[in-house]
Amino acid sequence: MQRRISITLMIVAAAATAWLLLLVLVSVSALPSPAIPPDLARVELGATLFVEPALSGNGAQSCASCHQAARAFTDGRETAVGSTGEAHSLNTPSVVNAGELSALGWARPDLTSLEAQIAVPLFGTHPVEMGAVGHEAEILGRLKADACYPALFRAAFPDDTEPLRWPRVIDALAAYVRSLRSSGSYDRFLAGEEAALSEEARRGAALFVEIGCSVCHSGPLLTNSSYHNLGLYGFTGLADVPPGQEGLYRITGKARDLGRWRVPSLRNVALTAPYFHDGSETTLEAVLDVYEQGGRGEGRDSPLKSEAIVPITLSREDRAALIAFLTALTDDSPASLVSQVTP
């Protein structure tokens, strides 16, 4: 009898345990999905807006039209073309690592935040890029009428009672661009993994320092964000400079700043042709020609040329090693850069 009772109690206990486990499983499965953290939701909203043509005045162009992931967020054009078809005077720079730079644009030291920079292509009129000026309310109306955007803005800015407005558009785009950071063999090399670069690329890296390239192209992003006239054109004064080619002079008004442009990062440089501020050279080999000659054409004798630009001598093997190093600066997956924000 006692054995029968103990067996019965064991069965009851097992059934109770099973029932409790079932309740737990049911309650867990019934829990709502965790909300996406606002920081990540902001990045995801920014990524969606980045490819949204409705963000332009005429609905014809998105940020990604000029900043294409497969080209390390450049466009492959000599100079950019705005949403209205207006040709620009400057080459489209990459936005990868833009959140790490101390200054943005080709010659805009006054733009020190992504938020300030992003307002320029949205609302600038000289030249027109996205062409949002005069269409501000219309563009917001398009987003509000979309089936997805109101919820995306609420998730990204949960404490804002009216999140779908222009400052939040800019905040979201800035959050996305900040998430675009390089990760590749060069980073592993900097972390001490010597074999991350080929022997030829390592020789190119040493030569890069030896011939003085690293004076301006320094640090993990290979730029010190300084401004230089590379001797590309034979300017001697303002009267010689075509419109749009004034460089830093447009901000400072100082004659010595004519034709000075910000030193770009060299990360992913093998993917971002054509080169220089005006896209005037199509290959890395041609860029090496310019530096080897200490400038180009009449620009070599320009009194405005930076003192750092002097002729150098490179053998065929040297050039191959430098190209190998520059190519090694390509990220592991530049065509599919995604947010590096951790939930």
Side-chain angles (χ1 to χ4, degrees):
M1 176 67 70
Q2 289 180 348
R3 183 179 179 184
R4 184 179 301 168
I5 292 173
S6 63
I7 292 173
T8 301
L9 289 173
M10 289 174 63
I11 293 171
V12 170
T17 300
W19 176 248
L20 286 172
L21 180 59
L22 178 61
L23 285 177
V24 169
L25 290 174
V26 169
S27 64
V28 168
S29 64
L31 288 175
S33 300
I36 298 174
D39 285 351
L40 184 56
R42 210 161 294 165
V43 171
E44 292 183 349
L45 170 60
T48 305
L49 290 170
F50 196 82
V51 298
E52 178 57 77
L55 209 55
S56 62
N58 58 9
Q61 186 163 305
S62 71
C63 302
S65 298
C66 292
H67 299 286
Q68 302 164 17
R71 297 179 183 272
F73 290 82
T74 61
D75 61 4
R77 295 176 181 269
E78 186 174 310
T79 58
V81 176
S83 60
T84 60
E86 179 181 353
H88 296 189
S89 60
L90 299 177
N91 180 257
T92 299
S94 174
V95 297
V96 180
N97 304 308
E100 308 297 319
L101 298 176
S102 58
L104 300 160
W106 276 109
R108 291 294 303 271
D110 54 324
L111 298 177
T112 57
S113 73
L114 283 175
E115 287 78 4
Q117 165 62 33
I118 287 168
V120 173
L122 282 172
F123 305 113
T125 56
H126 301 288
V128 172
E129 296 183 55
M130 295 291 282
V133 170
H135 302 277
E136 294 91 341
E138 177 187 348
I139 292 170
L140 290 183
R142 295 172 195 164
L143 300 182
K144 290 176 181 178
D146 187 275
C148 299
Y149 280 116
L152 289 174
F153 273 88
R154 287 194 298 271
F157 304 101
D159 298 327
D160 195 331
T161 56
E162 191 179 346
L164 211 165
R165 49 196 176 92
W166 277 110
R168 293 312 197 187
V169 170
I170 291 174
D171 288 343
L173 286 169
Y176 171 60
V177 173
R178 282 194 181 93
S179 76
L180 301 175
R181 299 194 296 272
S182 282
S183 178
S185 57
Y186 183 60
D187 299 286
R188 295 190 292 276
F189 175 74
L190 292 179
E193 186 183 332
E194 186 174 335
L197 298 188
S198 69
E199 182 178 350
E200 186 175 41
R202 292 198 300 272
R203 194 174 87 79
L207 184 60
F208 189 84
V209 174
E210 180 184 330
I211 62 178
C213 303
S214 62
V215 172
C216 297
H217 293 286
S218 57
L221 300 184
L222 297 161
T223 176
N224 63 3
S225 291
S226 59
Y227 298 85
H228 293 275
N229 182 315
L230 302 181
L232 301 179
Y233 301 101
F235 304 151
T236 58
L238 184 60
D240 302 330
V241 182
Q245 297 299 317
E246 299 90 348
L248 193 58
Y249 172 86
R250 293 189 70 179
I251 301 297
T252 68
K254 297 177 180 179
R256 69 172 181 269
D257 288 332
L258 281 168
R260 285 191 177 187
W261 304 96
R262 183 176 59 82
V263 174
S265 169
L266 296 184
R267 299 303 298 261
N268 295 302
V269 68
L271 302 178
T272 60
Y275 302 106
F276 296 131
H277 69 280
D278 58 354
S280 56
E281 296 294 351
T282 58
T283 65
L284 288 173
E285 288 81 1
V287 171
L288 289 184
D289 288 341
V290 171
Y291 284 111
E292 191 170 9
Q293 296 163 15
R296 185 177 63 192
E298 294 180 352
R300 289 176 291 181
D301 300 317
S302 171
L304 298 171
K305 187 180 76 169
S306 294
E307 293 180 358
I309 307 301
V310 295
I312 55 176
T313 301
L314 297 173
S315 68
R316 180 180 300 177
E317 292 74 21
D318 290 339
R319 292 171 67 94
L322 285 170
I323 296 295
F325 171 60
L326 294 173
T327 303
L329 301 176
T330 303
D331 291 335
D332 286 337
S333 185
S336 58
L337 278 165
V338 295
S339 165
Q340 296 185 35
V341 174
T342 302

